[in-house]
């Protein structure tokens, strides 16, 4: 069984799991672009029971377009987001794929808010698209 550990830049905050992701997705919404500093966010959803969190975190709550709340947990020292929780999905923990620093991490299978996708970005063949 492979254990994957996501961490912040300084290593103080971690999220570890031996489970495979329920889904890996990308989001092109403007809020995710601002949060990540990139042109889209890539995240993996795991069963909450399969994730162990260690370290201290600060939080930021964002209300989405549909009114639900996402609570982002980031390192109070270096500021990197390591995981987030979504209202209505209490059974899941979402972890930014980049926090694993693993080029072999599974590719995304789902893409949302593509109307805000940068024109030069191309998604993997066969990905499920949702506007």
């Amino acid at each position: 069984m492979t254990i994957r550990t996501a961490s912040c830049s300084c290593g103080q905050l971690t999220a570890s799991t031996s489970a495979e992701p329920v889904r890996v997705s990308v989001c092109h919404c403007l809020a995710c672009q601002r949060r990540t500093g990139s042109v889209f966010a890539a995240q993996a959803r795991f069963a909450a029971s399969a994730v162990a969190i260690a370290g201290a975190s600060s939080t930021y709550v964002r209300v989405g377009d549909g009114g639900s709340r996402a609570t982002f947990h980031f390192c109070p020292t270096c500021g990197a987001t390591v995981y987030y929780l979504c209202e209505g999905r209490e059974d899941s923990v979402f972890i930014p794929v980049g926090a694993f620093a693993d080029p072999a991490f599974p590719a995304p299978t789902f893409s949302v808010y593509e109307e805000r996708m940068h024109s030069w970005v191309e998604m993997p063949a066969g990905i499920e698209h949702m506007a």
Side-chain angles (χ1 to χ4, degrees):
M1 201 175 270
T2 301
I3 295 176
R4 291 185 174 111
T5 299
S7 74
C8 63
S9 296
C10 72
Q12 184 277 134
L13 178 60
T14 62
S16 298
T17 183
S18 59
E20 288 301 310
V22 173
R23 179 165 74 183
V24 180
S25 61
V26 293
C27 180
H28 304 275
C29 81
L30 300 179
C32 280
Q33 291 181 34
R34 286 187 184 103
R35 177 180 59 82
T36 63
S38 186
V39 297
F40 58 84
Q43 52 278 324
R45 179 170 32 125
F46 294 91
S49 60
V51 177
I53 306 296
S57 68
S58 294
T59 60
Y60 173 74
V61 177
R62 184 179 85 213
V63 178
D65 292 346
S68 63
R69 301 163 67 87
T71 303
F72 296 88
H73 291 259
F74 59 93
C75 176
T77 302
C78 69
T81 299
V82 174
Y83 69 100
Y84 62 97
L85 308 171
C86 293
E87 185 177 70
R89 292 218 179 246
E90 286 76 15
D91 61 340
S92 299
V93 174
F94 300 81
I95 301 175
V97 171
F100 288 104
D102 177 5
F105 199 87
T109 58
F110 192 76
S111 177
V112 297
Y113 282 100
E114 288 188 341
E115 69 275 8
R116 297 174 185 164
M117 182 169 67
H118 288 236
S119 62
W120 51 267
V121 171
E122 294 182 27
M123 292 291 99
I127 197 168
E128 183 180 347
H129 305 274
M130 183 176 154

